[in-house]
Amino acid sequence: MSKLKSFFVVLLAFSALLMAGSANAQYAAIMIDAENGNVLHEVNATRPWYPASLTKVMTLYMTFEALSTGRIRLHDSMTASHHASRQPQSKLGLRAGERLTVEEAILALVTRSANDAAVVLAEHLGRTEEWFAAQMTPKPVNGHAHTRFMNATGLPNNFQVTTSRDLAVLAWKIMQNFQTIIRILPAMAFTSKAVNLTESTSLLHATPARKG
């Protein structure tokens, strides 16, 4: 088993808990083997809580799926809507009518957790964020009975809940199903609106051959 891959999955689950806050449980955790998906350790892993920005993991899953089937391409140009431009921080600060590519939007989600970029992707794939969110909930992975998505960003919504198990499995599915796409992500830098955006997480900088 790759310790680095396992670390990625565990980090995702714990980060979600730290960032989101629990809906019903005070503590939850899960560790899975990234090679085969077996659960190695779990505590309250099926208790519901609010995913916050980890919702964007599902937004990325659906984007990667559309790329893998040829429905969209990395260099496709997308236009920011008025709705996308009005998203709160964290964001790129896109104005209505401003354009960016699918690749730029993906990197904005990964490096900045950009809400406006998430909405641009959602509207590009589903015409409206509401329709896109409706596709997010039945889409995922086997066993996601406790997850319900209401938007593409993770902005507050009392009906948007998930579990640490569901998100860990989702992260594992991304690693298993979209390895070709994931290999391009270490670029982790791009220029948008004349602003250079770079990955700056010190933990990832300090981890050789990092993933995730």
Side-chain angles (χ1 to χ4, degrees):
M1 175 183 67
S2 167
K3 292 183 179 179
L4 183 58
K5 286 184 178 180
S6 294
F7 173 75
F8 171 85
V9 175
V10 176
L11 178 62
L12 174 64
F14 277 108
S15 295
L17 290 165
L18 290 172
M19 291 165 38
S22 173
N24 290 317
Q26 293 183 348
Y27 170 76
I30 188 168
M31 177 184 292
I32 70 173
D33 185 333
E35 295 296 328
N36 53 38
N38 290 339
V39 175
L40 305 176
H41 171 75
E42 60 181 321
V43 178
N44 292 327
T46 60
R47 298 285 289 274
W49 48 271
Y50 305 119
S53 286
L54 266 295
T55 297
K56 295 184 180 79
V57 177
M58 178 53 78
T59 301
L60 287 170
Y61 182 97
M62 294 183 68
T63 301
F64 291 168
E65 183 178 63
L67 285 167
S68 69
T69 60
R71 203 175 135 210
I72 60 174
R73 296 173 298 176
L74 284 172
H75 298 298
D76 286 351
S77 181
M78 307 179 294
T79 303
S81 67
H82 180 67
H83 173 57
S85 71
R86 290 176 58 86
Q87 297 302 303
Q89 294 284 4
S90 173
K91 62 181 179 178
L92 296 179
L94 297 170
R95 295 186 294 269
E98 196 161 359
R99 303 185 72 83
L100 75 166
T101 66
V102 170
E103 181 178 11
E104 288 171 339
I106 290 171
L107 292 173
L109 263 65
V110 172
T111 63
R112 286 291 184 89
S113 189
N115 291 322
D116 48 1
V119 171
V120 171
L121 277 172
E123 292 177 338
H124 187 65
L125 290 169
R127 300 200 177 191
T128 68
E129 185 183 12
E130 290 77 12
W131 189 92
F132 180 81
Q135 306 308 304
M136 291 170 78
T137 296
K139 183 75 189 160
V141 247
N142 297 333
H144 274 220
H146 303 286
T147 292
R148 180 169 60 249
F149 294 108
M150 303 300 294
N151 57 51
T153 60
L155 288 169
N157 187 303
N158 288 337
F159 296 104
Q160 183 154 268
V161 294
T162 190
T163 67
S164 58
R165 176 191 283 266
D166 283 359
L167 272 190
V169 172
L170 176 59
W172 180 70
K173 286 285 187 178
I174 288 176
M175 293 168 62
Q176 295 295 311
N177 296 343
F178 307 117
Q179 292 185 21
T180 301
I181 297 170
I182 289 173
R183 289 192 189 102
I184 72 169
L185 293 182
M188 291 305 253
F190 70 102
T191 300
S192 177
K193 296 181 62 184
V195 177
N196 187 43
L197 301 177
T198 57
E199 178 272 312
S200 60
T201 304
S202 59
L203 175 61
L204 295 181
H205 275 311
T207 306
R210 60 190 180 272
K211 296 179 189 284

